Amino acid sequence: VELPAGRLAALLAVLAMSAGQTVSVDRLAIAVWGEDLSVDARANLQTNVRRLRRLLGAELVATRAGGYALEAEPDQVDALRFDRLLDLAAAALDRATQRDRLVEALWRGTPFDGVRSDWLEQTHAPRLLERYLAALERRVDLDLADGSQADLAAELGELTGRYPLRESLWALGALVKTWL
């Protein structure tokens, strides 16, 4: 489903980050309109929920006491699935299974790309990005342990370009270069 950019996308993203759970009207209002609510957030929220229901289907956005919920399983939301897969990778007893879970979990792009919400950018995006980078570094460690240095040089070069302040990526890149 293609959503118009703006508040509708932010509303869906906030609901999705709590898939299956009630999100309070207050939290939705702050996440979608920000701290400075110069609009009637409750009325605007109801209007946007109606619009979202028309696009997704009425059964997917439930009204609950005090708020709304996206009727979806956590694995239907990429960010929640990502968290679950990282937890499975951390619990894996062997390197191959751990690597497979990490590869399955890792995404391309930026969390909430194109979604305008200061609340998401301040609460969820930094945590997701940190977990992503840590998982990526762990996957590189596993590849190095399995002798896959040649394939990593270009990837680490691109990653250090994208995240120039991430010292651990520079260290991994330097390590790979010494082995080539």
Side-chain angles (χ1 to χ4, degrees), residues 40-109:
D40 182 358
R42 188 171 293 274
N44 280 316
L45 184 58
Q46 289 172 344
T47 299
N48 279 286
V49 166
R50 273 195 303 277
R51 290 177 60 209
L52 194 58
R53 284 178 174 150
R54 277 195 301 270
L55 291 169
L56 300 179
E59 71 282 356
L60 289 179
V61 182
T63 301
R64 295 193 181 160
Y68 298 94
L70 181 68
E71 296 294 344
E73 294 298 319
D75 260 14
Q76 293 176 293
V77 177
D78 291 342
L80 302 179
R81 183 174 178 272
F82 165 76
D83 281 332
R84 184 185 63 78
L85 288 169
L86 290 188
D87 293 343
L88 288 174
L93 299 176
D94 63 281
R95 289 192 326 219
T97 302
Q98 187 178 66
R99 186 187 185 286
D100 289 346
R101 294 296 170 266
L102 291 171
V103 168
E104 190 178 354
L106 293 171
W107 72 75
R108 288 179 172 73

Side-chain angles (χ1 to χ4, degrees), residues 107-115 121 125-126 128-129 132 162-163:
W107 72 75
R108 288 179 172 73
T110 307
F112 311 112
D113 191 27
V115 177
E121 286 298 315
L128 287 170
L129 183 58
Y132 169 82
R162 228 185 321 157
Y163 305 103

Side-chain angles (χ1 to χ4, degrees), residues 102-160:
L102 291 171
V103 168
E104 190 178 354
L106 293 171
W107 72 75
R108 288 179 172 73
T110 307
F112 311 112
D113 191 27
V115 177
R116 291 185 318 233
S117 169
D118 290 341
W119 186 82
L120 286 171
E121 286 298 315
Q122 294 167 5
T123 59
H124 289 292
R127 180 190 64 80
L128 287 170
L129 183 58
E130 181 55 37
R131 284 201 85 191
Y132 169 82
L133 291 170
L136 188 60
E137 290 165 356
R138 178 63 184 143
R139 199 228 61 224
V140 168
D141 287 339
L142 292 169
D143 287 348
L144 286 171
D146 289 339
S148 302
Q149 296 88 348
D151 298 336
L152 295 174
E155 180 182 8
L156 286 166
E158 190 247 313
L159 288 168
T160 54

